Structure formats: C-alpha cells, structure tokens
Amino acid sequence: MTRILPRLLGRLERTSQRVSLDRFVLPRRRPRSLYRSVPAPPSFQPAHHPKSILLYDPPTNPITSSRVYDRHKTLPPLPRRFDKPRPRKTTDEDGPRAMTLEERKFWSSPYLRMIASPLRQCIITSRFLPNDFLIRLAIQRIPKSHYPSKWKRPNAPQTLLPDGLQHTKFTVRRSDKAHYVPCTRTSIALLAEPSVKRRAAHGVLVHPLLAEQIAHLLRLRVLQELEVLIDNLEAAAHKSLHRKPATSKPKTPITNPAPVPRLLRRLTHSELHTIRTTQTIPHPGALAVLIVPPLQKDPVTGLRPAPNMSPAPPPPPTSEPTKPLTLPACVLYPTQPDAWDEDGGTLPQEKVPLYNGVVMFPERGQRAALEGLLRRVLEIEWRADQGRICADAGKGGKNGGEEKDGEQKEEEEEAEEGKDMPKKSKSKSKPSHAFLLYSDEESVLRGDTVGIAIALWRLRMFEDKGEDVETQRVGGWEWTKNRT
C-alpha cells in the first residue's frame, strides 16, 4: 500500500483537470459469444444404437451431455469496426463482424429499432408493448427529510419515480424491478386511480409533478444523445488522425472521391420556405427537421441563458413569455406528393417529423444547450469536409492542384455574379434556424443519429396533444390478395 498510494495520488492529480469524477464511467465488458456448432440431433431409436445410450462417452452422450445440443445466438453485428481485427482463437466460432448493406438500412430506421426493443407489460392496459413506447417507473423510498406532513405510519413511504430514462453513459438504473406505463401524459394521470395503484404496489404515493419530471428527463435524453454523438465523432476523427499512413501509393489516382455522408446540416431560407409551402420534405435520407431559433437576452438580467443539462428541476423563469405558444410541437410532412394506385386510392407515404424547438424545449437553459450541441455537430461536419478536401488535393498531385485552381475560378466567378444579385436572393441562400438530421445506410458508418430521433419521438409521444391530427390521417388504403 505504501507504494501504490503515492502513485495513485499522483495519477489523480494529473488527470483531475481532464476527467471529472461525476462523469466517470467504467469501461464496458467485451461481449462474450456462446455460439458454437451444434451436432446433428441424436436418434433415440433402439435399432440405431449397438448399445445403451447411457453407456456412451460424455461428449457424445445425448442424456448426460444435453447442453452440447443447445443453440445460442451469434453476436450482433456492428455498423463499422474501427479497431484492428484481432486474430481469432481456434475455439472462437463467432467473431465480430460488420453489418451488411441491408442490415445497415434496417439499423438506420428509428421506427424499426423502436419496434425491435424488448417487450414489457404495461400495468394500465396489461398489454405487452416495445420498451421504447413505455415509461419505466421504479418504486423508491422517500428519505426522512422529505416525508409528507401527514405521514403517521411506522414504515417509510414509497413513491414511483422515473428510472432508466437517461442515457446509460450518464447514469445507471437504480432499481432492477420496475413498472411500465404508456409514454403519454394521460397515462401518468391514471396512476392516481386506486385500481392502477393496486397493480403497481400497495400504499405507493404518486407526487403531482411526476409528469413534469418525466418530460424534463425526456428532453434531457435528447441532449445526452447529441453529446454521445459528438463524443463518437470526435473519437473517430482522433483515430483517423493518428492512423499510420499507407506505405504504397494507389495504382490509380482518385479523381472523383465519394462525398462524406452528412449527419446534420442547416437548411437555407429557400429550402425551409419550400417545405412550408409545399408541405413536403423532399430530401433523401431525411430523419427529422428541428427548428431552433437563437435565444434572445433576458430583459431583466440582460444576459443570454447558460446551457443547462442537469437532471434537477429547472429554475423558475425570471420573466414571463410575452406571446403564448400557438405552434404545434410536431408536424409530419411527407417526402413526396400524394401517389395513387390503379383503383384510385391513396398510397401510404413516408413522413418526416418537423419539430418546433421553442415548444418542445420551453426551458431556455435546455434550449441553449440544444443549440450549442447542434452547432458543435455542424463544426465537426465542417472539419470532416475540409479534411476530405485536403486529402483529395494531396492525393491528386498535379491533377488535384489543377482541380483546385478550377474550383477557385468557379468560386471567383460565383462571387462576381453574387455582387449583382438582389438582396432578397442573397437572403434566401443564407442558412436558416432549421437543422436537418440524416440517417441512411451510408451515414451510420460515420455516426448513429437514430438515438436522437428516438429520443425526439418519445418526447413527441409524451407531449402529443392532438394538434397535428390532420397530418397523421391515413387514407383508406388496403392491400388485398386475389384468392383463386
């Protein structure tokens, strides 16, 4: 101990400035595969065995070694492997593998991943639903300092609190056992009824601000998913910078390299105006559109709000809003105009949600954190584009220099033409406050934005007040198979 403690204290002093103790997370264990080749099923017919089955050796005995015939699943595939492939052991039959194109396409859909989440039973409807469509509530004891004033029972009071709503990188579940309710505000109001309370536990209190606490944690989950995406993108960029350069030059120079798949970008004013007028989002791979206007200074303090990512209740606002919020929280827009089948019926369409950040994040501190995280993702996207341009110019040699000169000439010509453009056309080409989130089979190789879309959709389900009923209506379309 006399040798370990000084070294440990010195290491803590050196790392105290870089790593904070509240964000300390233990590394995850590497998943272990139980998959192995299973022999053919044995025959229990007496004519097929020269002697009794019980007299066979243990490895081939189907009675005493029945576990040899158990089947296990393989490890789930990864979108992309950034680490170097390690040599497999002779006994390892299931190594890590990358996803195929079809698997990446399924993985890039937030709705498929929500449906594929584990099934849990709802205590209100007694039905089994995917976990992402439910809210996890755990029974926890109230500390003595927060006992109700009228509590006179000898045992400690218990209450239902949300558990597992935050990302596992920031917090862990406090209870192994929990109850599940639908991800809506009305279901939280139903918990006060005696019939539902009896299903959860006997004598459990439900505090009146439970719905507000759940909504706050759901908004916090969106911010946490953005921060996890930023950490993954920065880690991938750090690995690419420290990667060893190739010793041999490519045989054929890359003249037209593939563009970097986008994860997030800002829409221009003309693109946002087109979405509002046509009521369609004609962008392939679009996952969601999030409108987050910049925050103004507080009229009382004269300062902009500081970003807030704390799970504690937000502070009360210093000033009341001047105008009531009349915009809907979410509107669903199709990706293309209406299509018709042979019989004249409307075909089902793929729709993309458009979220209003002011309504979805009414607390100014959380909205400031949301805007800051989105700008950090845009900065990483800009660095990726600049790195690709520099790498292409270095690989192309003389050709790359010629292409660069041509690009510079085109930019100069565009700048000269832009001088004569009217101010209205210039303003339409400027970026707006709308952020477009992408996800497809190519973008998942860079980063996973599906977690952000799932967190936004869960918040939308919880805060849905039926304001966008018109966009949720589906025409009477049904596919019937002709029976012969």
Side-chain angles (χ1 to χ4, degrees):
M1 295 295 292
T2 57
R3 295 182 179 180
I4 295 177
L5 289 178
R7 294 167 60 187
L8 181 60
L9 292 175
R11 180 64 63 86
L12 289 175
E13 290 178 359
R14 290 192 298 270
T15 59
S16 60
Q17 299 179 356
R18 297 180 298 172
V19 182
S20 58
L21 296 178
D22 55 344
R23 292 285 305 278
F24 179 74
V25 179
L26 292 175
R28 292 185 178 182
R29 294 182 179 180
R30 183 170 297 177
R32 180 183 177 184
S33 175
L34 301 177
Y35 175 80
R36 59 178 179 272
S37 58
V38 179
S43 175
F44 292 95
Q45 296 293 334
H48 296 168
H49 300 279
K51 58 182 179 180
S52 175
I53 297 179
L54 299 177
L55 299 178
Y56 282 101
D57 295 333
T60 58
N61 195 321
I63 304 300
T64 59
S65 302
S66 59
R67 293 186 177 180
V68 178
Y69 300 92
D70 293 343
R71 297 182 178 273
H72 297 277
K73 294 182 179 180
T74 58
L75 289 175
L78 303 175
R80 183 181 178 183
R81 293 188 60 199
F82 291 98
D83 55 343
K84 297 181 180 179
R86 298 183 178 181
R88 298 181 181 180
K89 299 180 181 179
T90 55
T91 57
D92 189 9
E93 300 180 5
D94 180 25
R97 61 184 180 90
M99 287 185 179
T100 61
L101 182 63
E102 187 177 8
E103 289 174 340
R104 293 203 310 266
K105 188 175 182 180
F106 294 156
W107 186 256
S108 62
S109 174
Y111 310 107
L112 287 180
R113 283 168 64 169
M114 291 179 69
I115 294 174
S117 58
L119 297 178
R120 297 293 182 266
Q121 187 177 16
C122 174
I123 62 174
I124 296 179
T125 61
S126 300
R127 294 182 178 180
F128 287 90
L129 297 173
N131 187 18
D132 288 341
F133 294 91
L134 302 172
I135 296 293
R136 189 176 190 270
L137 299 176
I139 300 177
Q140 299 181 14
R141 293 182 179 179
I142 302 177
K144 292 184 178 180
S145 59
H146 295 76
Y147 273 19
S149 58
K150 298 181 180 180
W151 189 262
K152 298 181 180 180
R153 298 181 183 178
N155 55 344
Q158 296 178 343
T159 183
L160 284 173
L161 294 178
D163 189 21
L165 296 185
Q166 301 184 49
H167 198 276
T168 54
K169 182 180 178 180
F170 299 87
T171 183
V172 295
R173 293 180 177 179
R174 298 182 178 180
S175 177
D176 296 336
K177 296 181 180 180
H179 304 277
Y180 294 86
V181 296
C183 187
T184 56
R185 278 186 177 270
T186 56
S187 62
I188 305 301
L190 291 175
L191 288 176
E193 296 184 1
S195 59
V196 179
K197 193 187 298 184
R198 249 185 246 112
R199 297 179 189 175
H202 199 57
V204 176
L205 303 177
V206 179
H207 65 89
L209 298 178
L210 180 60
E212 300 299 331
Q213 183 182 7
I214 293 174
H216 176 74
L217 294 179
L218 289 176
R219 297 186 185 98
L220 181 62
R221 180 62 182 267
V222 179
L223 306 179
Q224 292 176 352
E225 291 288 350
L226 278 170
E227 189 165 352
V228 169
L229 175 64
I230 292 172
D231 294 343
N232 293 338
L233 292 177
E234 290 180 348
H238 179 75
K239 289 182 180 180
S240 63
L241 288 176
H242 292 273
R243 190 178 301 165
K244 294 182 180 180
T247 56
S248 60
K249 296 183 179 180
K251 296 181 180 180
T252 57
I254 303 175
T255 56
N256 295 322
V260 178
R262 306 284 293 180
L263 300 178
L264 182 74
R265 75 175 183 91
R266 293 177 65 177
L267 296 175
T268 61
H269 285 279
S270 60
E271 291 175 338
L272 183 59
H273 179 71
T274 303
I275 291 176
R276 289 174 174 172
T277 53
T278 62
Q279 295 187 354
T280 58
I281 303 180
H283 298 280
L287 195 62
V289 177
L290 188 60
I291 300 178
V292 186
L295 284 87
Q296 304 297 331
K297 294 183 179 180
D298 196 320
V300 178
T301 60
L303 300 175
R304 298 185 186 276
N308 182 18
M309 291 186 61
S310 173
T318 57
S319 60
E320 297 182 358
T322 56
K323 296 180 180 180
L325 300 177
T326 58
L327 295 174
C330 173
V331 181
L332 299 177
Y333 287 138
T335 57
Q336 57 185 356
D338 294 339
W340 308 90
D341 59 359
E342 298 177 356
D343 299 333
T346 307
L347 296 176
Q349 296 178 337
E350 179 185 1
K351 294 186 178 182
V352 178
L354 185 143
Y355 299 100
N356 293 309
V358 180
V359 184
M360 297 282 285
F361 295 85
E363 206 272 317
R364 291 171 58 85
Q366 285 188 337
R367 209 182 325 146
L370 176 64
E371 185 185 6
L373 292 173
L374 291 174
R375 292 184 179 275
R376 285 178 60 187
V377 177
L378 291 178
E379 183 180 357
I380 296 174
E381 292 285 273
W382 180 82
R383 290 177 185 175
D385 292 342
Q386 294 298 319
R388 180 183 63 86
I389 293 173
C390 295
D392 297 342
K395 289 179 181 179
K398 295 181 179 180
N399 297 332
E402 293 176 0
E403 291 178 1
K404 185 177 180 181
D405 294 340
E407 291 176 358
Q408 288 181 354
K409 291 181 180 179
E410 291 179 359
E411 290 178 359
E412 292 176 359
E413 292 176 359
E414 290 178 359
E416 292 178 358
E417 293 177 358
K419 294 180 181 179
D420 301 332
M421 292 173 60
K423 294 183 179 180
K424 292 184 179 181
S425 59
K426 287 184 180 180
S427 61
K428 290 182 179 180
S429 61
K430 291 183 179 180
S432 64
H433 309 313
F435 298 84
L436 180 59
L437 196 66
Y438 287 95
S439 179
D440 55 10
E441 59 273 10
E442 298 297 333
S443 64
V444 293
L445 297 176
R446 291 192 59 236
D448 189 9
T449 57
V450 178
I452 305 172
I454 293 177
L456 287 170
W457 189 259
R458 282 171 56 84
L459 179 59
R460 179 246 178 207
M461 286 193 302
F462 191 80
E463 298 289 355
D464 188 18
K465 300 178 182 179
E467 298 170 343
D468 56 339
V469 178
E470 295 295 334
T471 62
Q472 300 179 28
R473 289 182 179 177
V474 180
W477 183 85
E478 182 180 1
W479 182 77
T480 57
K481 185 177 180 180
N482 295 329
R483 298 182 179 178
T484 57

